Each structure stands twice: as structure tokens, then as C-alpha cells.
Amino acid sequence: MALDAYAEASDDALLVLYGNGDPMAAELLTRRLAPRVLGYGTRLLGGDRAEAEDVTQEAMLRLWKIAPDWRTGEAKVSTWLFRVVSNLCTDRLRKRRNVDIDAIEEPADDTPGAVDKMIQADRVAALQTALNALPERQRIAVTLRHIEGEANPEIAQIMDISIEAVESLTARGKKALATALAGQREELGYGTN
């Protein structure tokens, strides 16, 4: 069967198909989920894309291992995967606690580009720096909610906390980000006009 035949299948259905021995289902599920997981991992790891690639690979391998035993309806595949990535990133961050993550400079983008690209890169770097300054649980909640677009119930499952705790973490994190970025509006090209 061609990948087009699976285009409308849910993540859950694709995982079950893979668990039953269909490698094409895994290919499509990887194309759907790996880029989101990589972006999420990169943000949680302070912009370290290489380490986020390792985390993404590990998380996807864990997904394939549990595929034959997947219980449909208990959790969304993406929710399960984001939780695994959160845990893997947390483990990696704990291992490098001796290193001051905030002191690591963002890698410079050597690619020459238009002014808009430079402004966007500055905005992304400022956001990442502000995210890095948040307490870990706030950073996870804010990233899942406002960058990955996950709903509060899914975030609660991923973080294994109540929805109210998610709301509190995202509100405090969003307020802290606004405070951290407030003095940079003009510098980041948001002028007052």
C-alpha cells in the first residue's frame, strides 16, 4: 500500500498498524511526529539541536518498542511521545547541572540572509533565552501550550499533574516571559507604532 492510503489514518491507528507489522505506517507516523518532537526537545534543551536529535531518536525507538502492546484510547500517541521527550530532556539536563546552561552562548547563524531573517533569529534567540531562565516545569508547560499548541488536558497527562497546575504554570511562565522580554520590544523590531 502507498503512503497516500494512510494519509487520513489517526496516529493511534498508524501505531496499531505498525505494531501489527506494517512498516509503512511507521514511516508516515515518523514524518508526522518527529519534526514536532525534535522542535520541542530542542527548546527544552536550550537550543541544543544535536542533543535533541538524540532524544528524538530515543523517543521514537521507545514508541516502536511499545507499539505491539499499545492500548488504544488510553492516551494520544503524541501525548505519550511528548511525555517521553520531557522525561528524556529532564534527565539530560540533570546530568549536565554542573554546566551553567544559561552561560552557554547561542550558536551564531553564519548564513547571510535578509533583514527579516535576522530580526526573526533575534526574536527566537531572545525567546529561547527567556525560556531558559524559567523554572523547568514552567518551561515545559509554556513550551507545550504556546509553542507546540497542546491543550491543557494533554499537557496535564504529559507532565503528570492536574489541569489547574498546568494553568498555573503556564500563567506564571507567560508572565515571567513577558517581564523578561518587555525591555527588548524595540530592539526586536516591535517598535511602538
Side-chain angles (χ1 to χ4, degrees), residues 19-83:
N20 290 328
D22 188 338
M24 291 181 87
E27 184 177 342
L28 182 57
L29 196 55
T30 300
R31 287 182 186 185
R32 279 186 193 173
L33 298 176
R36 289 182 62 205
V37 168
L38 176 61
Y40 176 59
T42 301
R43 282 183 283 283
L44 291 185
L45 293 168
D48 188 338
R49 186 175 173 90
E51 195 163 5
E53 287 172 356
D54 291 344
V55 166
T56 299
Q57 184 176 7
E58 176 65 26
M60 295 305 291
L61 285 172
R62 289 184 184 191
L63 182 64
W64 305 139
K65 285 180 185 175
I66 62 105
D69 300 320
W70 184 257
R71 292 185 295 238
T72 303
E74 284 191 21
K76 286 174 50 178
V77 174
S78 59
T79 300
W80 183 91
L81 198 55
F82 276 121
R83 185 168 188 170

Side-chain angles (χ1 to χ4, degrees), residues 37-53 55 85-86 88-90 92-94 96 99-108 121 124-136 139-140 143 147:
V37 168
L38 176 61
Y40 176 59
T42 301
R43 282 183 283 283
L44 291 185
L45 293 168
D48 188 338
R49 186 175 173 90
E51 195 163 5
E53 287 172 356
V55 166
V85 170
S86 294
L88 289 171
C89 289
T90 296
R92 286 174 182 253
L93 289 170
R94 284 183 183 143
R96 57 167 139 137
V99 176
D100 183 8
I101 294 173
D102 294 328
I104 298 173
E105 292 185 33
E106 290 290 322
V124 168
L127 177 60
Q128 186 63 57
T129 300
L131 278 170
N132 290 347
L134 292 178
E136 183 179 335
R139 182 174 59 249
I140 291 171
T143 300
I147 296 175

